[in-house]
Amino acid sequence: MRISVDRSRCEGHGLCAQQAPAVFSLDDNAEPNHRFEGTGIPAEHLPAARAAIDSCPVAALREAM
């Protein structure tokens, strides 16, 4: 699974980083950093990554094909 991040929608709530800290973090400007951008997310992080997608209040995250 890959995740696409729509940075123009992100408002820096940080719920993704709370739900999946091994996948997401926020920089000093509350911009999301996706540690596996451009690659598939390792299987052990998939449940947390899906929880992060579901928790985003502005739908800035989505599963990419």
Side-chain angles (χ1 to χ4, degrees):
M1 175 175 107
R2 292 179 183 220
I3 293 179
S4 94
V5 179
D6 184 343
R7 287 175 173 78
S8 67
R9 292 185 71 122
C10 180
E11 295 178 352
H13 295 279
L15 297 175
C16 57
Q18 290 175 7
Q19 292 291 323
V23 179
F24 298 100
S25 63
L26 296 181
D27 66 15
D28 292 338
N29 296 316
E31 296 289 325
N33 293 311
H34 176 4
R35 294 189 177 113
F36 300 101
E37 193 158 5
T39 65
I41 295 172
E44 65 268 19
H45 300 301
L46 290 178
R50 286 192 174 104
I53 291 170
D54 293 341
S55 72
C56 183
V58 295
L61 307 174
R62 63 185 174 118
E63 190 171 341
M65 298 295 162

